[in-house]
Amino acid sequence: MNRKVLYFFALLMLVPIMYFTGGVESQLRFLYYAVMVLLIPALNSKSVLEAALTFCILYAMLPLAGGGAYPLYTVVANILSFFLMAIAGSRLSDEMQKERESVQKTADIFHGLTNALNLKVMNQQAKIDAVSESYERLQSSDKNKTRFISGVSHELRSPLSSIRSFSEILQTYDDIDADTRKEFLSIINEESERLTQLANEILDVVKMESGKVEWHMDYVNLEEIVKSAVKMMLPIAENKGLLVDVLITDKIPAIRGDRNKLLQVLLNLISNAVKFTAHGKITVGTGEVSGEIRTFVTDMGEGIYPEEREKIFEEFYRIGDDLHGRPKGSGLGLSISKKIVEAHGGRIWAESEIGKGSTFFFNIPRLESVMVGDRKGDISDHLDGRQILVLEDAVSLRHIMRLALEKLGYRTMGADSRMAVEVVRASKPHAIIIGYPEKREHVDEIRTLARVQGIPLVLAYIISDDKIGYQMAVNGYISKPFDSFQVLSTIEELLTGRTGRIMIVSDVMEDGRDLQTLIGTKGYDTSVVPAVDAINTAGHLPDVVILGTLPREILYRSIVSLRKSKATGRIPIILTLNIPATDIKCIGLGCRDYGSGLEELCRNFDLESQDAKTFRVA
Amino acid sequence: MVDDEPYVQRSLTFVLKKEGFDVEVASNGEEALLKARELRPKIMFLDLMMPKMNGFNTCRTLKSDADLKGIYVIILTAKGQEIDRETGLRDGADEFMTKPFSPREIVSKVRRILGRHE
C-alpha cells in the first residue's frame, strides 16, 4: 500500500512541475509517459487507471486555473493521449500481474515438490537406518552364534579325546593290569557322561534361543521347589562336608511358572555353590520382596570378581579359566538359568564379597507378565481413536472389518499377509487384528514383530454364509501347548458360572485326551468326538464346544454348520490355536455372546443393501 | 608333555612309557619352560589353551632361546582352525596336531622323529 501511495504522489507531483514549466504545451508532458511506464509494473490495472484518471482531471483543471490561455483542443488531445496510454498501461499491468502470479505458482509447486522429495528422502533414510540396525543386530547375533559354535566344538573335543585315547589304549595293549584297566574304563565312562550332559545343555540353550521350548505353566510354589532342590543336592553337599540351610520367610504366594524349569535353575545354582565352596555352609531361601518372589543361594566360597559378575551368565564362560585350569562343567548352566528366569519375566544376578562368599539371586514377578491380556475389557477401552491394522487376505472381509472399525471411531489400515510385515515396520499401528491364520509362517513373522515392537495382537475369526451373513465365528480361543489356567478360565467365562457339558471336537487323539484330562479336573462333564456332526446326533447338546486343531477347510465348514442350525446356533465355540497365548494380547473383538461381535460393529452398516452384496466372500 | 588336562597327561604318559620312552609332564607354560631347561627333552608336546602362559607364548619363548630351540615342538590342541595352525607354525612349532588324537599315531610319530635324530 505504501508503494502505491508513493507512486500516486509522484505522478501527481508532475502536475505542478508541468504547470510551472510550460503547462499543457510543454515537452515535459512526456514525463507523464515516463512515469506511466514506471507505474505499470508496480501497480495493478485498477490503480493505474485510477492514477491516470486523477492526473487527467488535475491536468484538465490547469487551463482553468491558468485562465483560458490554452486552447481547449490541445488540452483534450493531451488528455486523450494520456488516457489511451493509461488504458494500454493497465492492460500491460494486468499481463505482468498474471505472469508474476504464474511464476509464483511455479515457485510454489517447486517448493511443494522439494518438500515431498525431502520427506521421501527422510523416509528412505529412516528405512536405511532400520535396515542397517537390523543388519548390525544380525551381525552381532551371527558373531554370537559363531562364538557359540566354536565354544561347542571345543567343549565336545575334550571329552571325546579322552574317550578315544583310553579306548584305543585298552584295545592296543593286552598286558594292562586290572587296576589300571578299571581306572581307564571309569575315565571313559565319566567322560561319556560329561559329553551327554553337555549335549543336553547345548540342546537346552538352542531350544530356548529359538523359542521352541514348551513351557508348562501352572501355579507353582517356590517354597516347594526350593525344598525339593535341596533334598536332591544334599548328598552331594554332605559328601564334601558342607552344610545346607533352608530359609523360608513366611508363607509365599503361588506364582505362575514352569515347575521343572525353575527346579533346574535352583539345582544349577546349588550345584555351583557346592562346586565353588571348600568348606562351610550353603544357604538357600526364598521370600516375597515388593511384589516379587526372590530366591537366593548363598555360598562361602572365594567370591566372584566384579568384572566377572555379569560375564558368568554368558555361554561357556567358566570362572577360573585363567587361574586354576579348566574346571568341570560346561559353562552353560548359568546361561540356561538366565534364559529360564527371563522367560518368566524375572531377573537373575550375583552379589559377592571376595574371600567371604557369593549370593545368586533371582526374582520372579508375582503378577504374571506373560499372561493373556485383560479379558474383561474391550479393546475399545484403550484404543480409542488409534490406528489399527487389519490383516486379512480376503479383500472383501478386510474391507468390512475396516468399515466396521471406522464406524466405531478407529482409524484403520489394511494389509494382506504378504505386505503385512512391511506395513507394520513402516507405520507402527497401535494394534493388529488378524484373522484365522492361513499360513503359519506369515503369522509367525507378524507375531514376532508384534512381540518385539510391543503391538497388541488381536484375533478375530469371521465366517460368512448366505444365510447367516458375516459373523464372529467363535467366542474364545485357547492355545497349544495347553495352559490349564487359560483353558479353564476361558470355559468358565463362557459358562458364566454354571457347570456344564463340554464337547471337544478333535481328530487328534492326544489333544482330545489332554484337554479332557485337563478340564475333567474341574468337574466338568466332557466328551470327545471326532467331528462336528456327532454333536447333532448326541443325546444332549453340549453347553460349550471346543474345536481342536482341525484342517482349515473342515474347521470353517464345521463352524458354519454349527451356526446355521437352530439347535446349535447359540452354543459358544472355543477355537484351538497353535499360537502361544503369550503373543496374543486380546482375543476376539469384545465378542461375549455369539453373533454380537461383528453385528454390533456393523450396526449402521446395511448388510442388505447393494454394497453388502458386493462384499460377499468368494 | 605339556597339557593342563589330567586325562591327556595320563593317556599319553601311559602309552609313551609303555613303549619305553621317558616322559615328563607339565601343566602350564611356565612349568614347561622350567622343566625344559632342567631336563632338555628331545620332543615337547604342547597344548595351546593353558593357564598362566599359553602354548603360543611358550613356543615362541622356547624357540628364541639358544639352549632350547633344538627341542622338537609338536602342538597338540583342541583348537583346530587354520589361523591357529598358522600362528603355531609361525611361532616356531615344528608340527601341529589336533585333538582327538590317536595314541598309536603319537607313538609312531615319536619313533619317526627320534629315529631320524639318531
Side-chain angles (χ1 to χ4, degrees):
Chain A
M1 247 359 248
N2 268 335
R3 276 163 82 213
K4 207 170 162 184
V5 169
L6 220 65
Y7 284 128
F8 220 76
F9 187 69
L11 183 65
L12 294 182
M13 280 313 289
L14 273 182
V15 177
I17 290 175
M18 298 222 298
Y19 175 72
F20 288 116
T21 51
V24 166
E25 295 299 307
S26 122
Q27 280 85 355
L28 282 172
R29 70 174 181 276
F30 291 103
L31 260 176
Y32 169 81
Y33 300 117
V35 173
M36 258 297 141
V37 169
L38 287 171
L39 280 181
I40 289 166
L43 303 171
N44 62 21
S45 55
K46 206 163 136 233
S47 310
V48 168
L49 284 172
E50 280 173 10
L53 192 63
T54 325
F55 177 83
C56 290
I57 292 175
L58 286 173
Y59 184 77
M61 294 205 294
L62 274 181
L64 300 167
Y70 308 102
L72 193 63
Y73 70 90
T74 333
V75 177
V76 172
N78 275 328
I79 291 185
L80 257 162
S81 62
F82 289 156
F83 223 70
L84 284 170
M85 172 80 182
I87 293 177
S90 75
R91 281 269 157 81
L92 212 64
S93 158
D94 260 343
E95 289 297 317
M96 298 187 82
Q97 179 86 331
K98 270 202 203 116
E99 211 177 290
R100 257 200 305 267
E101 278 171 3
S102 88
V103 169
Q104 185 64 32
K105 228 189 205 161
T106 320
D108 282 338
I109 292 176
F110 266 127
H111 250 269
L113 279 174
T114 323
N115 280 342
L117 220 75
N118 274 340
L119 221 70
K120 263 215 159 140
V121 168
M122 282 199 319
N123 276 340
Q124 287 298 97
Q125 189 59 37
K127 277 198 195 141
I128 292 173
D129 285 338
V131 169
S132 71
E133 204 191 294
S134 334
Y135 180 67
E136 270 177 26
R137 256 182 285 133
L138 266 172
Q139 268 197 320
S140 90
S141 108
D142 195 51
K143 244 190 272 176
N144 281 338
K145 288 210 172 82
T146 316
R147 203 162 38 107
F148 184 76
I149 290 174
S150 76
V152 165
S153 79
H154 184 264
E155 289 303 315
L156 288 177
R157 283 192 220 203
S158 194
L160 271 176
S161 169
S162 308
I163 296 173
R164 183 169 173 189
S165 312
F166 289 108
S167 6
E168 205 184 275
I169 293 176
L170 287 172
Q171 237 186 350
T172 316
Y173 299 102
D174 298 319
D175 57 345
I176 306 177
D177 62 281
D179 281 332
T180 317
R181 191 175 279 263
K182 252 201 184 141
E183 182 199 342
F184 289 176
L185 280 170
S186 87
I187 293 177
I188 293 176
N189 245 345
E190 187 188 315
E191 293 293 83
S192 313
E193 262 295 324
R194 192 167 140 205
L195 208 53
T196 316
Q197 164 88 327
L198 181 68
N200 285 334
E201 286 184 341
I202 291 173
L203 212 62
D204 260 351
V205 170
V206 169
K207 275 210 288 203
M208 268 184 243
E209 272 294 310
S210 60
K212 293 252 188 299
V213 174
E214 292 213 350
W215 299 97
H216 295 106
M217 300 298 246
D218 205 347
Y219 280 110
V220 298
N221 193 315
L222 266 166
E223 182 181 335
E224 178 268 318
I225 298 178
V226 162
K227 291 198 176 136
S228 304
V230 169
K231 198 154 150 210
M232 288 165 79
M233 295 297 290
L234 204 53
I236 303 176
E238 288 181 338
N239 237 354
K240 225 178 155 185
L242 304 168
L243 284 170
V244 182
D245 220 358
V246 176
L247 210 66
I248 314 277
T249 53
D250 305 321
K251 196 99 180 73
I252 307 177
I255 50 154
R256 303 266 326 189
D258 182 320
R259 183 198 177 265
N260 284 337
K261 295 262 178 333
L262 289 174
L263 184 64
Q264 197 176 342
V265 173
L266 232 21
L267 288 172
N268 171 236
L269 294 180
I270 299 177
S271 121
N272 280 347
V274 170
K275 242 185 252 177
F276 287 94
T277 307
H279 30 245
K281 189 165 76 159
I282 296 177
T283 317
V284 186
T286 180
E288 187 175 356
V289 175
S290 45
E292 296 186 317
I293 307 292
R294 182 180 293 195
T295 314
F296 64 89
V297 174
T298 309
D299 65 57
M300 290 182 161
E302 345 155 307
I304 308 170
Y305 284 97
E307 325 66 88
E308 293 199 294
R309 256 169 241 166
E310 287 200 18
K311 282 182 148 189
I312 48 178
F313 292 101
E314 280 176 23
E315 269 128 29
F316 294 123
Y317 192 90
R318 284 174 302 188
I319 296 202
D321 263 347
D322 293 328
L323 299 170
H324 306 280
R326 223 158 295 145
K328 291 260 160 65
S330 62
L332 285 175
L334 279 176
S335 75
I336 295 177
S337 296
K338 181 169 185 231
K339 289 190 173 42
I340 294 176
V341 169
E342 285 176 354
H344 283 78
R347 212 168 49 98
I348 184 169
W349 74 100
E351 289 173 18
S352 168
E353 223 186 305
I354 301 292
K356 291 262 182 71
S358 333
T359 305
F360 279 79
F361 293 95
F362 68 90
N363 277 357
I364 309 272
R366 248 195 85 183
L367 302 156
E368 192 190 315
S369 56
V370 294
M371 203 166 74
V372 171
D374 191 351
R375 293 154 175 280
K376 306 279 187 299
D378 233 308
I379 53 166
S380 45
D381 285 348
H382 31 266
L383 283 178
D384 239 347
R386 309 247 198 120
Q387 187 154 60
I388 303 189
L389 172 65
V390 176
L391 189 64
E392 170 62 59
D393 281 340
V395 177
S396 43
L397 199 59
R398 188 167 77 227
H399 208 107
I400 283 235
M401 290 214 273
R402 287 185 63 185
L403 273 164
L405 285 166
E406 277 168 18
K407 283 256 184 307
L408 282 180
Y410 302 110
R411 290 183 292 132
T412 68
M413 295 182 278
D416 61 30
S417 42
R418 271 180 312 120
M419 295 167 24
V421 176
E422 272 178 50
V423 173
V424 172
R425 286 221 175 96
S427 50
K428 275 186 67 159
H430 288 100
I432 303 176
I433 298 190
I434 181 167
Y436 189 71
E438 176 90 59
K439 284 200 180 67
R440 182 66 194 271
E441 308 87 61
H442 291 150
V443 179
D444 280 346
E445 254 203 286
I446 290 289
R447 254 199 314 125
T448 316
L449 198 59
R451 193 187 334 140
V452 164
Q453 303 228 15
I455 306 176
L457 204 58
V458 179
L459 279 177
Y461 189 21
I462 298 179
I463 53 167
S464 90
D465 178 77
D466 281 336
K467 279 231 187 76
I468 53 183
Y470 287 99
Q471 306 291 7
M472 287 294 287
V474 299
N475 307 80
Y477 300 82
I478 55 177
S479 47
K480 279 173 72 169
F482 295 123
D483 179 302
S484 57
F485 177 75
Q486 192 200 21
V487 173
L488 291 171
S489 58
T490 312
I491 295 177
E492 266 170 46
E493 237 176 52
L494 290 172
L495 285 178
T496 53
R498 328 165 256 134
T499 49
R501 206 159 321 178
I502 307 198
M503 204 167 270
I504 303 168
V505 180
S506 173
D507 54 3
V508 175
M509 234 194 15
E510 299 100 55
D511 281 357
R513 237 198 343 232
D514 284 344
L515 270 175
Q516 193 170 22
T517 323
L518 214 148
I519 304 174
T521 59
K522 274 288 180 136
Y524 293 114
D525 176 7
T526 50
S527 51
V528 182
V529 298
V532 154
D533 316 310
I535 296 184
N536 294 325
T537 57
H540 303 276
L541 288 175
D543 298 293
V544 171
V545 171
I546 300 183
L547 294 176
T549 41
L550 302 164
R552 194 176 201 261
E553 264 311 301
I554 298 185
L555 184 72
Y556 195 85
R557 273 185 267 132
S558 308
I559 298 179
V560 171
S561 83
L562 277 174
R563 293 292 183 225
K564 259 169 130 156
S565 137
K566 255 215 174 99
T568 56
R570 296 254 141 209
I571 303 178
I573 300 178
I574 297 178
L575 191 62
T576 308
L577 290 166
N578 270 321
I579 300 173
T582 54
D583 284 341
I584 307 168
K585 288 293 183 296
C586 301
I587 289 179
L589 281 166
C591 174
R592 218 53 61 203
D593 308 309
Y594 156 67
S596 66
L598 196 60
E599 277 171 2
E600 204 177 294
L601 292 176
C602 296
R603 211 180 354 226
N604 299 322
F605 188 76
D606 193 355
L607 285 169
E608 297 306 307
S609 78
Q610 194 65 23
D611 303 292
K613 292 223 174 21
T614 63
F615 290 144
R616 291 261 179 246
V617 176
Chain B
M1 215 276 101
V2 187
D3 197 312
D4 63 329
E5 283 193 79
Y7 292 154
V8 177
Q9 285 186 3
R10 182 85 175 94
S11 54
L12 275 185
T13 316
F14 181 86
V15 168
L16 289 169
K17 276 206 171 133
K18 207 124 177 59
E19 295 291 332
F21 297 106
D22 222 345
V23 185
E24 272 298 323
V25 294
S27 309
N28 59 59
E30 263 181 37
E31 206 186 329
L33 289 168
L34 269 164
K35 288 204 168 164
R37 258 181 252 279
E38 214 183 285
L39 306 161
R40 301 297 170 90
K42 294 253 173 27
I43 304 178
M44 179 187 279
F45 284 96
L46 190 53
D47 183 29
L48 288 178
M49 312 250 289
M50 294 183 292
K52 289 217 184 122
M53 188 195 261
N54 69 22
F56 292 126
N57 284 338
T58 313
C59 189
R60 252 180 293 138
T61 318
L62 205 82
K63 286 296 180 178
S64 53
D65 184 318
D67 288 333
L68 303 174
K69 66 179 176 191
I71 303 177
Y72 196 88
V73 174
I74 304 178
I75 291 185
L76 181 57
T77 177
K79 287 176 105 182
Q81 286 170 314
E82 261 316 297
I83 181 82
D84 302 312
R85 172 183 285 267
E86 277 173 27
T87 318
L89 294 175
R90 197 170 32 113
D91 281 338
D94 296 283
E95 272 192 51
F96 189 94
M97 283 182 73
T98 53
K99 298 181 194 168
F101 56 86
S102 151
R104 269 194 287 242
E105 252 184 68
I106 300 273
V107 170
S108 57
K109 200 180 272 281
V110 165
R111 278 198 208 286
R112 207 175 7 99
I113 296 165
L114 291 180
R116 256 204 312 229
H117 284 202
E118 267 134 43

